[in-house]
Amino acid sequence: MEKYKHLRYAIELFSADWELTEEEYQETFSSFVNAEPDYTKRIKKELIQALNDPEWSWVKIGYETNFIGSDDSEESVWLSVKDLIWNVIASNEEPPMRRFV
């Protein structure tokens, strides 16, 4: 079983392969999460787990999925995920924090 498959799928929705504007990516993702509230809960749960997983790499998943927020910095990719995904699935909650070294 693939680790954090729901989170990975959410990140894949922001693949540069789609060549959308940032607004189009966000509209697509918002439509998806509004239609699938249970899936949204799974994404949120996995996102929190990934932040606490020392083996998880935001950089690696960014490059594997061709994520529009890809970068060589774990913190930078996380900040893109926070802006594009967390702020949609949990807009009224503070994002989880992780120290990046």
Side-chain angles (χ1 to χ4, degrees):
M1 176 182 245
E2 186 177 353
K3 194 173 194 179
Y4 309 130
K5 68 179 182 179
H6 304 292
L7 174 59
R8 180 184 180 93
Y9 181 77
I11 292 170
E12 287 176 344
L13 290 174
F14 291 91
S15 172
D17 296 338
W18 303 117
E19 299 181 359
L20 303 174
T21 66
E22 189 170 321
E23 293 78 25
E24 290 171 323
Y25 281 111
Q26 290 175 323
E27 287 174 14
T28 300
F29 184 68
S30 293
S31 296
F32 172 74
V33 297
N34 288 332
E36 298 290 338
D38 288 336
Y39 201 79
T40 303
K41 290 176 189 175
R42 288 186 219 128
I43 294 168
K44 181 180 173 187
K45 179 181 175 184
E46 289 182 4
L47 192 150
I48 292 168
Q49 290 172 339
L51 277 169
N52 292 306
D53 184 344
E55 295 180 15
W56 175 260
S57 171
W58 294 105
V59 170
K60 182 180 177 187
I61 194 68
Y63 284 115
E64 287 177 355
T65 61
N66 201 17
F67 178 56
I68 62 172
S70 289
D71 191 66
D72 291 332
S73 160
E74 292 288 320
E75 184 173 15
S76 178
V77 178
W78 156 242
L79 290 174
S80 293
V81 169
K82 180 183 78 67
D83 289 343
L84 298 169
I85 296 175
W86 179 267
N87 289 343
V88 173
I89 63 172
S91 60
N92 296 326
E93 298 178 35
E94 285 293 315
M97 300 303 294
R98 176 178 175 190
R99 283 190 76 162
F100 294 91
V101 289

